[in-house]
Amino acid sequence: MLKIKLSKDFIRNTVKRALNEDLYPSGDITSSLVKNNKIIKVKLLSNQNAIIGGLLFAEQAFDLIDNKIKFLIKKKDGAQVKKGSLIVTIEGKAKNILVAERVALNFLSHISGIATKTNQFVKLAGKQCKICCTRKTIPNMRVIQKYAVKLGGGTNHRFNLSDEFLIKDNHIASSDIKNLVSLAIKNKKRKKITVEVDNLKQLKTIMGLKFNTVLFDNMSLKNLKEGVKIARKYYETEASGNINLKTVKGVAKTGVDRISVGSITHSASAIDFKLEI
């Protein structure tokens, strides 16, 4: 698994593209009406309980517009905050703060949203079961979204298609499960191998082969529990398939090692923040 690295250059370049999107071709024509010599001090507040994430992206948004803006962080990425909490104080020229405001809040809201939703799943699953993200991410945003999952206490699944073998239902439908697993073992070159099954018959077909993880997809709790019992001595076990906050606790109780949840990246609600002047 590739380690996620959010270098200063990566953050700065990502934010720069976002600002270009917001300001092309004529800049902020509304904020240009504000006198640029007026200095203001604003508070960045959370309008709801949340896990904070994305502060370095927000900071870069202001810095790229005006490096004289003071961005004083009161809560760090990964911090759990309550509604009304002060996250940052910002001081500088009013016009420039207004120009950077939306891009800064967009990064903060999105990253915090993923971290917060992930943390909700993590708490319900308990300490013995990991919550993993998937590749169901916004194109070109995967590094950022997987970073957010880590902030929320989750575990990163494979980053891309080269990270490990993941033999899924459509691979199996196009071939033979036992043959695919055997080929993966032959060609693994230190890569991990995960095999998805959607029934116990498939599981029994591949038992004894040397791979790493069995992924139980869209199985009933009864069958999942039985599958975990059969496989756990030999393989890591994982569950997936439309698992939500109402069902995750029951899935975790089957004894599965980890649960992969696509919704923590593709459907996390943004956290509501505001700048109070």
Side-chain angles (χ1 to χ4, degrees):
M1 180 70 65
L2 295 173
K3 290 185 178 180
I4 292 177
K5 296 179 181 179
L6 292 182
S7 69
K8 186 173 181 179
D9 284 343
F10 171 82
I11 294 171
R12 194 170 183 84
N13 290 333
T14 300
V15 176
K16 190 179 290 186
R17 288 194 297 272
L19 287 169
N20 287 341
E21 177 183 62
D22 219 24
L23 296 172
Y24 179 84
S26 304
D28 184 348
I29 59 175
T30 307
S31 294
S32 65
L33 303 174
V34 177
K35 290 183 178 180
N36 201 30
N37 60 353
K38 184 178 181 181
I39 302 296
I40 61 172
K41 187 173 183 178
V42 300
K43 297 177 180 178
L44 195 159
L45 306 171
S46 178
N47 277 337
Q48 60 191 103
N49 297 343
I51 302 293
I52 298 300
L55 285 167
L56 294 179
F57 290 86
E59 182 178 25
Q60 278 298 314
F62 291 104
D63 187 71
L64 282 163
I65 296 300
D66 179 358
N67 61 15
K68 292 183 180 179
I69 292 174
K70 296 177 181 178
F71 190 88
L72 302 177
I73 296 173
K74 303 296 183 180
K75 302 289 183 182
K76 294 182 179 180
D77 271 14
Q80 188 165 356
V81 303
K82 295 183 180 296
K83 179 180 179 180
S85 293
L86 175 64
I87 311 302
V88 175
T89 60
I90 306 163
E91 185 175 356
K93 292 180 179 180
K95 172 187 173 180
N96 294 339
I97 289 175
L98 293 170
V99 171
E101 172 188 3
R102 178 43 51 197
V103 168
L105 292 184
N106 282 349
F107 278 110
L108 196 61
S109 296
H110 181 62
I111 295 170
S112 297
I114 292 173
T116 301
K117 186 164 187 178
T118 300
N119 192 250
Q120 291 171 344
F121 274 94
V122 168
K123 286 180 177 178
L124 289 169
K127 295 180 179 180
Q128 302 303 314
C129 182
K130 296 178 181 178
I131 295 295
C132 302
C133 54
T134 69
R135 286 171 40 252
K136 295 178 181 178
T137 54
I138 297 172
N140 299 318
M141 288 284 286
R142 184 170 293 168
V143 171
I144 295 171
Q145 291 186 307
K146 284 184 174 282
Y147 166 73
V149 167
K150 293 287 286 183
L151 289 176
T155 299
N156 289 157
H157 211 302
R158 60 179 182 160
F159 182 79
N160 61 34
L161 294 170
S162 299
D163 271 347
E164 68 177 77
F165 291 93
L166 177 46
I167 300 169
K168 294 176 66 66
D169 54 352
N170 284 339
H171 298 114
I172 294 166
S174 305
S175 186
D176 170 75
I177 186 170
K178 196 167 185 178
N179 184 52
L180 286 172
V181 177
S182 298
L183 285 171
I185 294 168
K186 184 178 179 181
N187 295 282
K188 67 178 184 177
K189 297 178 181 177
R190 298 183 181 178
K191 301 285 187 180
K192 288 187 175 182
I193 302 170
T194 295
V195 186
E196 180 182 285
V197 299
D198 54 23
N199 58 66
L200 296 179
K201 183 179 179 181
Q202 284 182 328
L203 173 61
K204 291 172 182 176
T205 300
I206 58 173
M207 286 296 296
L209 297 177
K210 294 182 179 181
F211 59 94
N212 303 96
T213 307
V214 179
L215 171 57
F216 298 100
D217 187 51
N218 282 299
M219 290 180 67
S220 67
L221 288 181
K222 180 182 178 181
N223 285 344
L224 176 58
K225 191 172 183 179
E226 180 63 24
V228 170
K229 186 178 180 181
I230 293 170
R232 69 186 312 169
K233 290 182 180 180
Y234 310 99
Y235 310 106
E236 181 181 39
T237 57
E238 180 178 340
S240 70
N242 299 307
I243 297 168
N244 56 48
L245 290 171
K246 292 182 179 179
T247 60
V248 66
K249 197 170 185 177
V251 174
K253 284 183 177 180
T254 64
V256 71
D257 295 310
R258 63 187 197 180
I259 299 170
S260 53
V261 185
S263 67
I264 58 178
T265 48
H266 70 62
S267 297
S269 298
I271 298 300
D272 185 22
F273 294 98
K274 68 176 179 179
L275 284 185
E276 189 177 85
I277 299 176

